[in-house]
Amino acid sequence: MANASGKRIANQNESTVKILKLGMLLPTVLSLVLRFLFGRSPFPPSKGPLAIYIVTFFPAFFLSNYLIKQGSPRRDPTTGTLISSGEDLSQPGVTEWCFDILYITWACQIGSGAFGEWFWWLYMIIPLYAVFKLWTSVISPLVLGRGFSGPSDSSPEKEPTSSKRQEKLRKRQEKGDPRVRMQSLKK
């Protein structure tokens, strides 16, 4: 089956894009319904909660649109055949961090509607994690003098490791196997 991985990625991306589109609407509606049911704040909400919601909504909106544009598969309008599967939205790294920010934003929106405005403190996980990653990957290696090469090796007398194939050939050679020939280097 030709292009099976592209079709698989396209199918996964289509379902993820549907979730992203639903995710931009559902937490807002749930938050408003929960606020109304539990009487957490007056309707319309006061300036503080409204400001927090707006400040967190815009990054979530831009990240959601970014992920939708990156992951939307393109199809031929006449035949419906797959032209491009889009970027894989399940890849680690920046894409994964975008989803993390979206999920935390949605959880804070729903949680603040159900439990109160103190639930927005959960949003502090995002900058704390950013500081942690910055410290562990950039600042700490520079401050501790290791550079970006990782931990220094304290045993420089370490023998070079060889692959399994090289080990097999070496053992065959030691046994005198005729399949293995010694090649001498000419100087």
Side-chain angles (χ1 to χ4, degrees):
M1 183 186 228
N3 202 10
S5 66
K7 290 177 183 177
R8 180 185 50 82
I9 290 172
N11 288 336
Q12 288 174 348
N13 285 353
E14 285 175 341
S15 64
T16 305
V17 165
K18 286 178 187 176
I19 291 171
L20 285 171
K21 289 178 180 178
L22 183 65
M24 288 308 295
L25 177 67
L26 191 63
T28 303
V29 171
L30 276 175
S31 177
L32 291 174
V33 167
L34 291 172
R35 283 178 193 282
F36 183 71
L37 288 177
F38 294 133
R40 296 284 178 218
S41 65
F43 195 77
S46 61
K47 291 178 184 175
L50 186 61
I52 291 172
Y53 177 79
I54 290 171
V55 165
T56 58
F57 176 79
F58 283 116
F61 178 74
F62 290 120
L63 289 176
S64 177
N65 282 341
Y66 167 75
L67 290 171
I68 288 171
K69 286 180 185 177
Q70 292 294 322
S72 293
R74 290 185 306 150
R75 297 186 183 276
D76 185 15
T78 57
T79 62
T81 58
L82 184 66
I83 296 172
S84 170
S85 62
E87 295 294 321
D88 187 7
L89 292 179
S90 63
Q91 65 186 343
V94 175
T95 306
E96 185 178 39
W97 296 340
C98 290
F99 277 109
D100 292 344
I101 292 171
L102 285 173
Y103 295 151
I104 290 172
T105 303
W106 296 342
C108 287
Q109 287 174 353
I110 295 170
S112 69
F115 303 113
E117 300 308 319
W118 63 269
F119 206 83
W120 282 104
W121 285 102
L122 178 67
Y123 208 73
M124 291 302 295
I125 289 175
I126 296 169
L128 290 174
Y129 183 73
V131 167
F132 169 75
K133 289 300 279 184
L134 186 65
W135 174 261
T136 58
S137 62
V138 177
I139 297 171
S140 174
L142 290 176
V143 170
L144 299 177
R146 291 187 282 156
F148 288 102
S149 62
S152 60
D153 219 357
S154 60
S155 59
E157 301 168 10
K158 200 175 192 180
E159 289 185 25
T161 59
S162 56
S163 67
K164 288 183 180 181
R165 184 174 188 278
Q166 290 172 335
E167 288 293 322
K168 282 183 182 179
L169 289 174
R170 185 184 56 79
K171 287 179 182 178
R172 284 182 185 167
Q173 177 192 10
E174 289 173 357
K175 290 180 182 178
D177 195 330
R179 296 179 287 181
V180 181
R181 287 184 276 172
M182 280 295 295
Q183 295 180 354
S184 60
L185 296 173
K186 297 181 182 179
K187 293 183 181 180

